Amino acid sequence: MYKRENEYSERLIKNKKDYADLHGCDYFHYTQGPHYYEFRDLMYEWCPEQNEYHVVNFYKLWMMDRLTDVYNEVLYVDFDVLFETEENFFEVHDLSKGIHVHLEDYHEEALKYIARWSDEKLYLRSMINKYFIAHALCSHDFMSPRVPITNTGIIGATREHIRQLDYFKNLEEILNNITFFKTDPDSMYTDNIKETMDYNNEPIYSYLLAKNNVPSVNINGPWHRILDHTAVSYTHLR
């Protein structure tokens, strides 16, 4: 099992590096180290209730933010993302129009959950759970609570829009608000919804896109799809 995991890791890294080299882009792969540990300590200082999964996903956004100090345009992809095209992301997408990220409205699914399955506990990483977190954050600020939920597995953005998003400016306060939502005895949310609210980076991203009026462009289809047994054919980057 360990050997197989190493094999896939090498292939995933090579896929991304080959894609970057093809288009003359700099490629960075971040792992644990002193910088990450320093960041992790800060995150646990801000919110001791979160876990390593949350920290890692905040760290990827932190590093994307840092890279825009050097680069005007940055493409972030999760480690398990596989490029299947030779098209240049930066040429196909006009990043000046907004942050390019997958967005999906889960309002109707949330209503169905309340109407039919509200006695069932939500999966922590379910999109409906993420919707309720974003809903709570927006409601707390007297904003429209219906916002599309982002998938931060792939993000393309300019320095201007990352600065406008300003993800980490008030993150400590946002995390503390989520802790409050989880324990508020007067909450409009049922106990099973409150129990599964967590410190996920994606509903916070959705909330900040709306709060800071950051333009966004929904990427889906061939540029953002799940690669599994339902996919029929692939064009792999060579």
Side-chain angles (χ1 to χ4, degrees), residues 81 101-102 151-155 218-226:
V81 168
V101 65
H102 181 67
N151 182 320
T152 58
I154 301 173
I155 310 171
N218 191 5
I219 54 172
N220 51 29
W223 275 100
H224 196 294
R225 65 189 179 90
I226 296 175

Side-chain angles (χ1 to χ4, degrees), residues 171-184:
L171 183 58
E172 181 179 10
E173 178 183 351
I174 293 169
L175 296 174
N176 288 332
N177 284 340
I178 294 175
T179 300
F180 169 74
F181 302 151
K182 292 169 63 65
T183 57
D184 179 15

Side-chain angles (χ1 to χ4, degrees), residues 25 115 122-123 159:
C25 299
L122 284 165
Y123 172 51
R159 177 185 300 130

Side-chain angles (χ1 to χ4, degrees), residues 20-85:
D21 290 344
L22 179 66
H23 300 296
C25 299
D26 293 331
Y27 168 71
F28 301 94
H29 174 68
Y30 296 102
T31 58
Q32 294 187 9
H35 186 266
Y36 170 75
Y37 299 138
E38 181 180 347
F39 175 82
R40 183 177 63 183
D41 290 344
L42 174 64
M43 294 305 298
Y44 282 135
E45 179 182 332
W46 284 359
C47 179
E49 295 83 2
Q50 66 186 303
N51 59 41
E52 191 89 8
Y53 173 81
H54 301 129
V55 174
V56 168
N57 280 282
F58 287 129
Y59 184 66
K60 71 184 188 183
L61 301 179
W62 175 266
M63 292 311 304
M64 184 173 186
D65 193 309
R66 301 283 78 78
L67 284 173
T68 58
D69 291 338
V70 180
Y71 301 92
N72 183 53
E73 295 186 339
V74 175
L75 172 63
Y76 166 81
V77 298
D78 273 352
F79 182 63
D80 59 356
V81 168
L82 181 70
F83 286 100
E84 297 186 286
T85 178

